[in-house]
Each structure stands twice: as C-alpha cells, then as structure tokens.
Amino acid sequence: MTHVRGTLRSLRRSPAYSATLVTVVAMAIALGAATCTVVESAFLGALPFDRPEALHLVGASRVPGAMWPGMLSGREISAVQAQLPGLPGTVLMAGRPVLARVGGVDLRSAAVDARFLDVVGVRPALGGFDPGDFDWGPALRPPELVPVLITDEAWRTRFGRDPDIVGREVVIMERGERRTGLRIRGVLPPDFVFPLDAGETRADVIAASGIPGAAVWPRMAARQFQLLVRITPPRSFAEVAGALERAQATLLDGRPADPSRVDPSVPSAAASASFDLQPIGRLWGADERTAFRPLVAAAALLLLLTAVNVTGLVAARTIARRPELAIRRALGASARDIAWQLAGEIGFLMAIAALAAWWLARPLVTITLGLLPDSVTLLRQPAVDARALAVAIGLGVAVTLIVAVWPAVLATRTGRPARLASGASAGSRAGRRSAFLIVTTQTAFGCVLIVAGALTAVSLSRVRAAELGFHREDLAVVEVEGRRFRDFADVADQLRRGLDALREMDGVRAVAAASVRPFDAGSVPFTTVAPEGVTARPEGVAERRVDRAFFDVARLSVLEGALPTEGEWRDGAPVAVVSRTAARLLWPDRSALGQVLTRLRPVPGASDPRRIVAAVVGDARWQALDAPPVGDVYLPGVIQATTVGIGALVQTTGDASDVAARAARELTARGLTVRRAVALEDAMASSTRARVLPVWLFGTLGASALAIVAVGVVGLVTMTAAQRTRELVIRVALGATSGGVTRLLVRDQLVAVGAGLAVGLVASVWTARWVESQLYATRVYDLTIWAAAAGVLGLVAVAGATLPAVRAARVDPARLLKAE
C-alpha cells in the first residue's frame, strides 16, 4: 500500500510526463490492435464451413502473377467428373450479377447448384431450398421469381429481421402479367461467407441456378464455372491430382471423357491448360494478403518505436530525480525498494495506457472498416479482438517494461548516496552513447513509417487530381429503370417522361441521357460495332449510347472534325463520334474521320446502318480515376427497342447532392426504379475507396511516428541537460551565452537525428517496395517525396531538440548551482 501511495504521489508531481507516456503508448497499442483486428477478421479466421481443410478448388492453371485458379468450361468439368466418379463436388457459376434492389441497395447474387450446401457443410438458419428449385427444364430458362437464400446481414439490414421472410417475394420488374424477381427460401447463418474468393464482392443472396446436367457439359466450351470438391478419406489429394492429370490427357488427346456423350457440333480437340487443385484455405485472401502484410509490419514497427521512445522518457525522468533518489537512499531505502517503486510507476502508467487503448481501438476499427474496399470479404463480423489487443498490449508492455526499468535499476546500483546525487557517471561516455543510440533508432523507425505514409498520401492526391477529360463540377449521376410496364414501348415512354421531369426540376440547368455509368465498378467495356470488314470484337473499346446534349453537358473537347448537329444525331442516324484512344485502337495507321463502323453481328429484321465517324473527341475516364481511359465509341439511340433503363448526367446550378436526392424522390414517385442518384464528386470518391484505406493506415501510423519521435527527442534532450548540469554550470560561470549552451545541447542530438535519417532512408529502400502496389502515378523511389518526408521528420526532431535546450540554457546559474 505504501508503494501505491508513493507511486501516485510521484506521478502527481509530474503530470506532463505521465500524460505523455500514457498517450504515446495508448496510441501505438490502439493502432496496432485496430490493424490486427481488421487483418484477422479478413484473412486469419477459420473458414465457416464444415471441415474446411477438406475443401479444394479445381480450376484451370493460373496465368503468371495470378493467385486464383482460372475458370473451367463445361467440357473440362465433364472430363474431371468422368475421372472422379462419386467425389462430392459442386459447380459454381462465375460472376456476381445484381438480382434486385432493396432499400436503395443492390442485392448481389452468387449462383450455385443443388449440391452446394451439402459440399460446403452449411445449413440455413431459416428455411432452405426446395428440391424443385434447381429444375429449370431443358431450356434452362430461369423462373419468374428465382429461389434464393439471403445472408444474415441482408436479412438484418435490408429486411429488418422479418421473422416471416421465408416465402417473401421481391419483384424487380413487372412487364404485363410477367413478374421477375426473387422468392426468398431462407436465411443463411450469420458466419456464412461467399464467394470463396476474398477478392470478389461478397454475395447478398445465394441463387438456385439452372446449371446444366452432365449430358450438356461436353457441349459447353466457354469458361464460366468453378468446381469445388471435398476430399475425404479414403481419397487423398495425390489421388485427385492424378485423376486431374488423366482428365487433362483425355482433353489434349481429343478423346471425350464419355464417348456416349459426343456432340458432333463440337470439335473433338480440346486444347486446355492444365488443371490446378488448391485448398481454399490457402487461396482465401491471397490477393489482398500481400497488400495487408505491410500494414501489420508497420504496426509492429510503431510498437517498437514506442518502446524505444518510452525508454528515453523514463531514462530522462529517472536522471532528473537523482537528488530525490539520493535522499531516499540516505534515509535507508534499499536499491530494491527504489527499483520496485520505479517499476510500479511504469506498470501503473502501462495499465492506464492499456485501458485507453481498449477505448481508442473501437472507433479506430469502425473507421478502418468503413474504408475497406468492396473486394475485401470479412470472415466474421469484426470487433475489437481481445486476442489482437492482448498481443499488442503484451508486446508493448513487455518490451517497454524491459527497456524502461533498465535505467532505473542502473540508477540505484551505486555504492554511495552521494555518488548517486552527484550523477558522476550520468554524463559518461556510455550514457551519451545510449542517448545517441535511442535517438538514432527511433528516428530510423519513424523515417520508415513516414516515407510509407507520404508515398500513399501523395498517390491518393494524384488520383483525386487525375484529369477526367470531361466536366466534373456541378454534375449529378442518375440511373433509372422501368419497374411496371406493358411492353418496351411503354417503358421507353416512362423513361422519356422521367427525363422531362428532371429537366423541369429546380436547380437543373441541363440533362443528358446516356448509357454511360460513371465510376461504376460493375460496368465492363463492351461494343457491338467494329470497323468495316473486322469480325473480331475490338479489345479495350466501349460503346456509349448518348443523346446530343451529352457532349455539351460533359464538355468533351473536340480534337478532329465537328460534332453532329441535333438533327444529325437522331436515333438510327449513320453517324458516330470516337475518342482519341478508340481512334488509335480501331484505325492505328490512319485518321478516324470518315471511317465506317458496322455491327459485328447483324440482328435479323433490324436496320444496320453504316456509321461514319464525324469527330474525334478527347479521352474520358468513365470507368475509374486510377485506370487508363478505354476507347469510347459514342452512338445515337439511348432508348432502343429493348431498353429497360438509362442513365443521365444532370448539370446543376447548385448543390449536386441535393439535386440528386430530389431527383431520386421525383422519379420513384413516377414508378421508376432509381438504381443510383449521386453527385459526380461522390461517385468519384467511391471509386477511389480502395486507395483511401492504405492512406488512412499508413498515414495514421506515420503521423503517430512523427509525434512519437518528437516526444522522444524532447525527452532525450531533457535527459542530456540533466546529465550535464555540472558542466553547464561551469560553462555559464565562465561566460558561455545561452545560444552557446543551446548549440552544445542540440549538436549531439542533431548528429543522432542525421544518423537515424540515413539509416531510415536506407531501410526504406527495401520496405517501400511493400507499398508499391498501392501507388498511382507515383514512383516508389520519388526523390522529392522522400526528401520532403525526411525533411519534415528532421524539422520536427530539430524542434524537439531545440525547445528543451533553450529552456535549459536560460536557467539562472545560481539555481543550477543550488540544484547541484
């Protein structure tokens, strides 16, 4: 109890020291725990399947640099199944289509066959599929209402935990008497995770698909499936791998797996890549794990930096308390008693820091999760993980106690109290070397973190400042679809009336209709036209259906030719406008003006005009800010014979977000489904979300490192001034000025800071490569960025060294002599 009272009295006398140490340690532990919690939730937890170690994915061999096996064709699946009869397996459809929109949010689906739940070992929490849900008939036409199981998250957030959810119908569209949508068969368990690839957006619903039966597989050459198998005794991994080699041999030899299933319309030769068999536990998060690993290393480095920093703080305070310790020794206190009290003070502060870290870690985890890109699928509902926090606290406390108690023990190992009071050895060469090593080490650690933070921050700023190629201010994006209509002429009329309603709204200057979906991750470049005489679909070219107002609203720059007039840009007109990239891709050796575009596959009964290129406009980044622009081919005819939805670019006179919100309400009231209604700036920010996370984490770690280095240098200079009290008294008595004393105290620290910067920059040459994949338009070894990061750290360290040095130099010599 006496030790406790002594500890509290001692800490009350030095509130700045106590607050600084608690803040530094709590911040480092909280950041480390938050980082570890997110990584553990995404990549390190157990997969929520029955005996997940038995689940393996069969795919085509991976292309160089890819982590995930390629898709399989039906022909390849047929060959595999012929070699592995009776092996539990399930076929999964590729792609994550949007099936419905509930509460303003899309429901994304994953299509599976009837064996999926049995193979993965998952049972619905409510309801379940009916046996007939997977029987779509020989034509494989989906039912009007597709049977689905919804995830627990979708059930909670989009259906309000409706206890009567089983059997509920979600109608997407009504065309006359025909309805399309979903029929909810049940709810999946809370820990269910799918798709199996952590790099894909998590599915909200699992749809019963009409995946074809074995008789149809040999006819399907398109690679659009995954095959998941469960390998359990008596089968082994080696046995299945051998069967895959035999299946590959049958494909390469052109022999069908089952001669009775030969389809004469399909060539017998099947040049296929080799099969790849991988445990799903090894594949889970393989793409993202590489990007997240540096964050864990950076968090660990911050903890080490904190330990070194606390060493300096505790050493500085211990030396400043030499007179107090000497008096206690003179009054009979043993060295062990003094060491125990010093250790108790540190332990008490560490306990407070641990509690503060627990409180800080929760909002940090929430913020970090809010910045996670959609491609990161979490294995479980994340929360502050007690194990991750315990590891971070244990590492921080253990390392800090070891290095912090050390100077206290040394300070009490003196033979005479008078010697302790004089501090004869405090300013020794060994003490100065220790101080030099501490400053050098923490400056080096800080430099590594600050360089990483600076690189990611500059990269994000360059993404946000990327040239779009079109007008970006005061624009809103609105995407709508027809919901209830008799026929396509009816929905076309609804869409036109919706556009007219937008034009009449307050705050709207102009409205352009277009098939363009700005900054939509789900949009894929696609075109139905190509240069005359070309039969292969052009790569990297996107077809955009727009009205004439689109060019004025987007303000695309005209590079060649002239834009058609309103009368020339009518539906079905034989005219086109192409972007600079499209012109280069389609006609690399000639000018695009006057060239002819024709339909790749003529549509029976439809007119097929030969479209003449009238103008070449500048490139526009419609897909993503950090992706190069694709080749755009602009054609008239936004609303065609089978159009059910369009997009609109709305030029506003005021707040684009407010206009977008009012537009959504107006169009919904008119019976249309609003897919998206946002300000263009918000859509841009959403498209760069994946780049915000590393900036937040590396930037926070770097900023914390900067503060810790500053605090550490202040503590070390204070310690140095205390060590050299007698020397300073003599120098002042002999006429030394305040400036001279300040330079004397700062000089050694600046040498240590310079050495730390040199070591840190050399180390960053190796560590900076870890963040290279996160950078855009930024060289990982950009000398300007590195110099700026090192300069900021150097200035902070200089300021941290100068302030306490100036304070020490201004102390009255008489007070120094009295203190001695």
Side-chain angles (χ1 to χ4, degrees):
M1 193 67 183
T2 302
H3 286 302
V4 174
R5 286 196 297 268
T7 296
L8 295 177
R9 283 197 301 268
S10 176
L11 294 178
R12 278 201 303 268
R13 289 195 298 268
S14 53
Y17 160 80
S18 303
T20 300
L21 192 145
V22 168
T23 301
V24 167
V25 175
M27 182 169 54
I29 293 177
L31 285 170
T35 302
C36 293
T37 295
V38 173
V39 173
E40 195 274 342
S41 300
F43 307 115
L44 302 181
L47 291 173
F49 303 126
D50 178 37
R51 291 176 294 166
E53 69 280 357
L55 290 173
H56 294 71
L57 192 70
V58 179
S61 61
R62 290 167 285 182
V63 298
M67 304 298 293
W68 202 260
M71 296 294 175
L72 295 176
S73 67
R75 185 180 305 169
E76 290 166 328
I77 290 178
S78 176
V80 171
Q81 291 177 337
Q83 296 294 331
L84 293 167
L87 181 70
T90 179
V91 178
L92 317 174
M93 290 286 290
R96 303 288 174 262
V98 174
L99 286 189
R101 190 171 184 84
V102 177
V105 181
D106 287 332
L107 289 177
R108 303 192 67 85
S109 73
V112 301
D113 67 6
R115 295 177 293 276
F116 173 74
L117 294 178
D118 291 332
V119 171
V120 299
V122 172
R123 293 292 175 266
L126 292 176
F129 285 123
D130 290 342
D133 288 340
F134 297 88
D135 184 11
W136 287 11
L140 297 179
R141 292 186 59 183
E144 291 186 0
L145 300 177
V146 177
V148 300
L149 300 178
I150 63 173
T151 63
D152 180 79
E153 180 182 4
W155 181 48
R156 288 185 290 103
T157 60
R158 303 176 194 178
F159 294 96
R161 298 182 67 91
D162 181 3
D164 300 321
I165 192 68
V166 178
R168 180 171 171 178
E169 298 178 354
V170 179
V171 178
I172 305 172
M173 188 180 299
E174 297 180 24
R175 181 185 174 187
E177 298 298 323
R178 179 180 173 83
R179 302 181 304 163
T180 58
L182 314 178
R183 176 174 281 112
I184 299 176
R185 293 296 195 191
V187 180
L188 292 158
D191 61 351
F192 178 80
V193 173
F194 196 76
L196 298 175
D197 182 359
E200 295 189 40
T201 303
R202 183 172 181 172
D204 301 294
V205 301
I206 301 299
S209 73
I211 293 178
V216 184
W217 286 124
R219 306 179 184 181
M220 306 187 69
R223 284 181 166 166
Q224 55 183 328
F225 305 104
Q226 291 177 318
L227 177 61
L228 183 68
V229 297
R230 180 175 287 276
I231 303 176
T232 55
R235 294 189 186 271
S236 65
F237 183 91
E239 178 185 352
V240 174
L244 293 178
E245 292 182 1
R246 294 192 298 272
Q248 179 62 21
T250 64
L251 291 169
L252 293 177
D253 291 344
R255 298 193 305 270
D258 186 346
S260 65
R261 299 176 182 171
V262 174
D263 183 354
S265 65
V266 177
S268 60
S272 172
S274 60
F275 291 110
D276 191 10
L277 178 66
Q278 292 289 337
I280 62 170
R282 181 185 303 171
L283 294 171
W284 182 267
D287 293 327
E288 285 77 13
R289 196 178 293 130
T290 302
F292 276 80
R293 190 178 292 118
L295 295 174
V296 178
L301 187 61
L302 185 68
L303 286 174
L304 293 176
L305 172 60
T306 302
V308 175
N309 175 271
V310 172
T311 301
L313 290 175
V314 174
R317 185 167 185 269
T318 301
I319 292 175
R321 296 172 64 186
R322 288 197 313 266
E324 174 197 341
L325 300 179
I327 293 172
R328 293 195 62 194
R329 288 298 305 276
L331 293 175
S334 66
R336 181 178 180 182
D337 290 336
I338 294 176
W340 269 111
Q341 179 176 340
L342 295 177
E345 293 175 6
I346 301 169
F348 181 76
L349 293 177
M350 291 299 101
I352 296 177
L355 293 175
W358 177 265
W359 179 77
L360 286 172
R362 295 174 182 271
L364 285 174
V365 168
T366 301
I367 294 172
T368 303
L369 292 174
L371 298 174
L372 283 176
D374 292 336
S375 62
V376 175
T377 303
L378 300 178
L379 286 171
R380 61 180 179 83
Q381 190 65 28
V384 178
D385 192 334
R387 292 173 300 172
L389 190 63
V391 169
I393 292 175
L395 177 62
V397 172
V399 175
T400 302
L401 283 176
I402 291 172
V403 299
V405 173
W406 170 72
V409 174
L410 288 184
T412 59
R413 285 184 178 177
T414 179
R416 293 174 298 178
R419 187 178 178 187
L420 177 61
S422 67
S425 63
S428 64
R429 180 178 300 178
R432 293 186 183 182
R433 286 179 177 175
S434 297
F436 179 89
L437 180 61
I438 290 173
V439 174
T440 301
T441 302
Q442 62 181 319
T443 304
F445 285 172
C447 184
V448 171
L449 293 173
I450 292 169
V451 166
L455 286 171
T456 53
V458 171
S459 173
L460 179 62
S461 67
R462 290 178 177 174
V463 170
R464 294 284 176 84
E467 179 60 41
L468 296 182
F470 59 92
H471 182 59
R472 63 193 299 171
E473 290 79 18
D474 302 327
L475 279 185
V477 179
V478 180
E479 296 173 6
V480 296
E481 291 182 356
R483 177 175 174 82
R484 296 182 177 88
F485 53 93
R486 297 182 303 276
D487 50 32
F488 287 115
D490 183 18
V491 71
D493 185 56
Q494 292 182 35
L495 294 174
R496 292 190 181 96
R497 290 201 304 269
L499 291 173
D500 292 338
L502 287 178
R503 295 186 180 98
E504 295 172 0
M505 285 179 52
D506 293 335
V508 173
R509 179 178 289 122
V511 175
S515 65
V516 178
R517 299 166 63 186
F519 309 115
D520 189 330
S523 60
V524 178
F526 180 82
T527 181
T528 62
V529 296
E532 191 173 30
V534 174
T535 58
R537 192 179 305 279
E539 295 291 335
V541 177
E543 179 180 315
R544 318 287 193 185
R545 296 280 178 164
V546 301
D547 62 9
R548 179 57 183 81
F550 176 84
F551 299 105
D552 299 326
V553 171
R555 300 182 189 176
L556 297 176
S557 58
V558 180
L559 305 180
E560 297 182 63
L563 292 174
T565 64
E566 186 73 34
E568 295 170 337
W569 194 265
R570 62 186 186 280
D571 292 353
V575 65
V577 173
V578 300
S579 69
R580 175 165 44 193
T581 295
R584 177 177 52 82
L585 293 174
L586 299 177
W587 300 281
D589 56 349
R590 70 192 77 171
S591 171
L593 289 181
Q595 300 298 327
V596 178
L597 290 168
T598 58
R599 190 183 294 274
L600 279 167
R601 292 182 178 87
V603 178
S607 60
D608 186 21
R610 299 172 71 254
R611 303 181 184 276
I612 311 299
V613 176
V616 177
V617 297
D619 290 328
R621 297 175 188 261
W622 299 115
Q623 302 292 123
L625 278 172
D626 54 357
V630 300
D632 295 312
V633 176
Y634 300 99
L635 304 176
V638 181
I639 300 177
Q640 302 182 68
T642 58
T643 297
V644 295
I646 59 172
L649 281 182
V650 182
Q651 188 177 20
T652 67
T653 59
D655 184 1
S657 297
D658 175 67
V659 172
R662 289 191 289 112
R665 292 193 295 268
E666 174 69 23
L667 295 175
T668 300
R670 290 176 174 270
L672 295 170
T673 297
V674 179
R675 286 290 181 187
R676 186 170 59 149
V678 295
L680 182 66
E681 293 289 344
D682 294 336
M684 290 167 51
S686 177
S687 72
T688 60
R689 186 176 170 187
R691 295 190 177 276
V692 175
L693 179 64
V695 174
W696 159 250
L697 290 174
F698 280 116
T700 303
L701 294 173
S704 301
L706 194 65
I708 290 172
V709 169
V711 171
V713 172
V714 169
L716 264 296
V717 173
T718 303
M719 179 185 72
T720 301
Q723 287 177 332
R724 304 173 70 175
T725 300
R726 184 180 297 277
E727 176 189 346
L728 296 180
V729 168
I730 295 172
R731 288 181 178 275
V732 172
L734 293 176
T737 63
S738 297
V741 173
T742 300
R743 287 192 295 272
L744 177 67
L745 292 174
V746 172
R747 182 180 58 202
D748 292 342
Q749 306 307 319
L750 294 185
V751 173
V753 169
L757 287 175
V759 174
L761 290 173
V762 171
S764 296
V765 171
W766 175 63
T767 58
R769 294 179 297 176
W770 292 356
V771 301
E772 188 170 8
S773 62
Q774 310 293 322
L775 304 181
Y776 167 79
T778 303
R779 292 182 295 109
V780 70
Y781 299 120
D782 190 313
L783 295 181
T784 303
I785 299 175
W786 284 51
V792 170
L793 179 58
L795 289 175
V796 169
V798 169
T802 303
L803 294 177
V806 170
R807 181 181 178 184
R810 290 179 177 176
V811 175
D812 183 31
R815 292 181 58 189
L816 290 176
L817 288 171
K818 184 178 179 180
E820 284 293 301

